[in-house]
Amino acid sequence: MKTYDIENKIKSSKWNAFLLRQKDVEEYLEDGKFSPSEGFFSRFSKIKKENDARRNKRMVDLLTPRIIDDKIEWEEYVKHNIVKLDKEITSMIIEPMKNVFNREASFIFKGIKEDNNTKLKKLVNEGKIESGDIVAIYPISVIQNGVSKGVLFITTTGICFVSINAGNKSTIAPYAVANAFGGLGAIAIGVSAMASKYISHSIENYKMDKEQKTIIELSDKYSPCLIAKCFEDSQFIPYKMINAFIHGTKTEKNKFAFICIYQNIQKKVIFEVDQNIMDKVVKNLSGDLPPKAKKYKK
């Protein structure tokens, strides 16, 4: 039986063992076997189904070493990154109503009580530890339950994607609005001036719309993992929880895609990006050590 370098790579103890090239994955999945024609009727053939089943099994076998079987570790991940926030807390971070400044907005802020202030303060502090420092921010398209625009964060402890569903009529409120209610100014401490300068510097060369910019502005105050918990189809994924991050797939739009498989091979999301962004993401994740946030002089 032929062995592949990718099998040894995924089993290694390196922090970025999850980072795989598409052509290496494809070579492993093919394993020298004939692949049926991609014609319309071939998708229903017995040979095609058997081939798909074989490839699927090989993919599971390949990624099995990246599965987390530590119960406590898994439960902590679920607690911090999968369970969504109470709607009152979400409203303190973003404003999900279409017309934030009209009288309907008062309904949102009726739920902001002192116990929610305390809860948010705890979440802010936990989020800073969970997310670590922001290394880079990129505008992306998110392909998961449809196609959405979004934002990808690379941090010192993981990746985070925030999906802004085009079919959702929600409007993101300026975070300054929330600061006017419930004494949030003292809770949402925000990043330092130096980190804020870096965030501005890191996105200045990318084209993005108002909602993507607003997500990035939120990261001046809240951690990426906390922001992600406010949006559907969004997630912060610690590096150790990524099963595979596959790069090098060219799309029909002459862009490139990352395929991220995570949550113990239960979830998959695709990020479509320009080639320059793909190259920068790969560079950030290719080091011998996890990426570090750059420091800027005053």
Side-chain angles (χ1 to χ4, degrees):
M1 181 181 291
K2 182 177 179 179
T3 59
Y4 296 87
D5 290 340
I6 195 173
E7 293 177 279
N8 294 325
K9 176 175 173 51
I10 200 80
K11 293 175 184 176
S12 75
S13 58
K14 289 187 176 181
W15 75 273
N16 57 0
F18 56 80
L19 187 63
L20 309 173
R21 293 190 301 178
Q22 174 65 33
K23 68 176 185 178
D24 293 336
V25 174
E26 184 58 32
E27 182 185 19
Y28 169 83
L29 294 180
E30 284 187 355
D31 195 30
K33 302 294 192 301
F34 169 74
S35 295
S37 167
E38 291 298 322
F40 178 78
F41 293 105
S42 69
R43 76 181 70 178
F44 304 109
S45 70
K46 180 180 178 182
I47 295 176
K48 178 69 164 59
K49 291 179 180 178
E50 289 175 348
N51 187 63
D52 289 346
R54 180 185 64 81
R55 286 169 60 92
N56 186 64
K57 182 180 183 304
R58 284 185 66 79
M59 179 61 96
V60 172
D61 290 343
L62 177 67
L63 301 185
T64 295
R66 294 285 306 175
I67 290 177
I68 297 295
D69 57 8
D70 186 300
K71 183 178 179 182
I72 295 177
E73 198 170 29
W74 178 255
E75 288 177 348
E76 284 297 305
Y77 167 66
V78 171
K79 174 184 175 182
H80 290 291
N81 298 297
I82 297 180
V83 177
K84 292 299 180 183
L85 301 172
D86 295 338
K87 62 181 181 180
E88 292 86 359
I89 298 297
T90 299
S91 296
M92 295 169 77
I93 299 173
I94 63 169
E95 172 51 82
M97 300 198 66
K98 185 175 181 180
N99 299 311
V100 64
F101 296 110
N102 70 9
R103 60 186 180 180
E104 293 180 89
S106 62
F107 171 79
I108 294 292
F109 297 112
K110 284 179 182 178
I112 299 179
K113 302 173 183 177
E114 188 58 37
D115 58 339
N116 283 334
N117 285 339
T118 302
K119 188 183 296 184
L120 179 57
K121 185 174 182 179
K122 182 173 183 291
L123 289 169
V124 168
N125 291 332
E126 288 178 347
K128 287 181 181 179
I129 297 172
E130 185 80 17
S131 292
D133 296 324
I134 295 174
V135 174
I137 308 170
Y138 304 106
I140 58 171
S141 293
V142 181
I143 304 173
Q144 184 187 55
N145 300 324
V147 181
S148 306
K149 60 190 174 185
V151 175
L152 175 68
F153 294 90
I154 304 292
T155 80
T156 52
T157 62
I159 68 167
C160 179
F161 64 96
V162 177
S163 177
I164 308 167
N165 191 334
N168 189 339
K169 300 300 182 181
S170 300
T171 299
I172 306 168
Y175 57 76
V177 175
N179 285 343
F181 296 84
L184 298 187
I187 296 175
I189 301 169
V191 297
S192 67
M194 285 297 98
S196 181
K197 181 178 180 180
Y198 171 67
I199 289 171
S200 298
H201 174 81
S202 68
I203 64 172
E204 62 187 12
N205 296 321
Y206 302 119
K207 183 185 294 185
M208 60 188 77
D209 64 16
K210 184 178 180 180
E211 288 186 307
Q212 288 171 314
K213 289 178 180 177
T214 303
I215 293 294
I216 292 168
E217 288 170 359
L218 280 173
S219 69
D220 273 348
K221 281 191 178 296
Y222 304 104
S223 61
C225 66
L226 188 54
I227 296 170
K229 291 177 77 170
C230 298
F231 292 85
E232 294 298 324
D233 298 324
S234 303
Q235 193 80 48
F236 175 77
I237 316 170
Y239 291 127
K240 61 186 175 183
M241 293 293 177
I242 301 176
N243 303 119
F245 200 68
I246 304 167
H247 64 91
T249 306
K250 196 168 185 179
T251 69
E252 294 179 356
K253 301 176 184 178
N254 204 29
K255 294 192 174 186
F256 288 82
F258 288 100
I259 302 172
C260 183
I261 301 171
Y262 62 103
Q263 209 164 302
N264 278 358
I265 324 182
Q266 296 175 24
K267 297 280 188 177
K268 179 179 78 172
V269 61
I270 299 173
F271 309 130
E272 189 176 58
V273 299
D274 294 328
Q275 182 172 357
N276 67 324
I277 291 179
M278 182 185 74
D279 293 342
K280 289 178 180 178
V281 172
V282 172
K283 184 177 180 180
N284 279 322
L285 301 180
S286 295
D288 292 332
L289 297 172
K292 292 183 178 181
K294 294 181 180 179
K295 303 297 182 182
Y296 282 83
K297 296 180 180 180
K298 294 183 179 180

